[in-house]
Amino acid sequence: MDHRQLLMNELKKWHKDYNPELHMVRRPFSTPGYHTTLKEVTFTHPTLAAFIYALGLLDSEEGAYKERASDILRKGISLQDQNRENSTFGIWSWFLEEPLTMMAPPDWNWADFCGKRLVLAEQRHGNRLSEDLREQIRLAVFCACDAIMKRNVGPSYTNIAIMGAFVTLIAGEVYGVDRYVDYGLERLRKFSEYTHELGTFQEFNSPTYTVVAIQELSSIHTSTKLPEAKRLSADMLDVAWRMIAEHYHVPTAQWSGPHSRSYSTVMTDSVRSFLQMACGDDTFSLQAEDPFVYSLDWYGNHIECPPAYRSAFVDTNGGEYSQVIHKDPQGKAINIATTYKDERISLGTFSKDVMWNQRRNLLAYAQNGDSFTYVHLRFLHDGYDYSSAVFTSRQDGADILFGIGFCTNGGDTHIGLDLIDGTLEAADLRLRFEIGGSLDGVEARLTEDKEAVNVKLDGAAQAMHAAVLFASFDGEKPHWETVRDGEKWYVDYIVYAGKKKRFDFRSMQEALLVLAFRLSSEETAPLKASAVRLGPEMGVEGEARDVFAGSGDPQVYATYETIGGSLLHLTLPLKPAEKQQMLQ
């Protein structure tokens, strides 16, 4: 793979968006829905894109680009808050059009993201830059390092834990500042210890952030001269590549769930290109030459999939993988990720998590001819994923028993930026199985009793089955609805739809959905599953009585017999509760 030629080709695409008057790169406006307050904006000039472009120009080592790169770096540095009295000291806003004072809230990660490119500009190309610009870079890097150290994120914030270690460690090496070296190396040690204790990254199996983690760990391994940092980064790279190898599903060419953070349910060309680049193009092809997507961040960074894991991208072997990704202070597993793969499907779940729009708590891929169909479970508040809905599940192979409960103090659209006060105004609340990818042969139908739904996923062999075992939500009468909307099928269990209404989760006595789910052949017999309400006044008998064990709070006990004959069971609270309690 000719990285030099790929770099030059990619730079040509960036050149057309360069604004020589502003010394910035223009990009179509996009937002995940938080931090920025900009609205009804078509284009912006992002600070991070400017630094990435400037470093790419310098990496080309073309003399004609040095002046442009220098102009961009000066402009970008001028947008950093370098006033130590401010809470936003050391960081940048996302966009030229939106100062830090407008953001709600500012994104402190930008000290890490932007600081990294400045450190690399000095390390790789400092001797080609003017002394006054190098001094501006040095000051900006020191401000970013001090902001990173003051914030001091823990090892659970995977990509930022690594990136902050890179910025401080490499800045310390480049500028000879021992306190930065010491901090960066210790941060890398803590991340390694935390990861080994957990057995994986806290940001588990994220197609977006696992790629970022590999880039950042590779950057450390490529850029540092310290043997310990090289050893630690190599060790953590092995963890990352093993996680990808376990989840790549060859029959559908997709990255199996569950995903802790994801921005696209379908694997993007950029992720597929990254895997192709890291595995090499001399053995197999994951991504066609066109549209191969090259990132400027890959240049000068030695990124390589270990040979031991490359077979995972060609082998169709199945299996089931289970990994603890969160523990309580006593070391008890709270959240377990499970992934099942065979020659046609992959299915993944978390055992306990919120329904944030970046989570993929239940995610399936099924082969459909030469393509694939996916199933993604969501819970929507007025059409957007509701972060205070809590998913709890048990999975065995292609069978899942799950419940959706509700917390009183979680987030609405985000897990932490727009917390509810126990109440919610809504015109629509629904559980949704979003079905996308190839829709050839996809067809949804309700059972006669309208309590279950069957969905053909490929017109022949594979189907999704979902049955409601228990549903109660503040006196509402939930019901199924299926509709095809363009390139997707929506199989919805509608909890409420009507005029805007205030729901008070603090006073609500019952708010819980329990369902059984299976991926199998269309001819599978009806799901053998049931649920019973438990309470001190209900005189429950047998196993349900043992499960209830005299608790004073109403609960629901559900069981589900899998294809293999094993029994899945769940006990879930009926009443909403605080988020911390719901996630135990």
Side-chain angles (χ1 to χ4, degrees), residues 426-438:
D428 192 281
L429 294 169
R430 64 182 63 204
L431 184 71
R432 167 169 290 174
F433 291 98
E434 176 184 296
I435 302 171
S438 172

Side-chain angles (χ1 to χ4, degrees), residues 20 51 69 77 104 117 123 185 233 268 301 306 326 361 363 394 455 465 483 556 573:
F51 285 125
I77 291 170
R117 278 75 189 183
Q123 185 186 49
L185 189 57
S233 56
T268 63
N301 191 5
H326 186 57
N361 288 317
L363 180 61
R394 298 291 181 269
V455 183
H465 314 273
V483 62
V556 167

Side-chain angles (χ1 to χ4, degrees), residues 7 48 97 127 143 221 237 265 274 394 462 483 500:
L7 171 72
L48 178 57
E97 291 77 7
N127 61 352
C143 289
H221 197 267
L237 280 165
T265 305
F274 173 84
R394 298 291 181 269
Q462 294 298 128
V483 62
K500 184 158 286 193

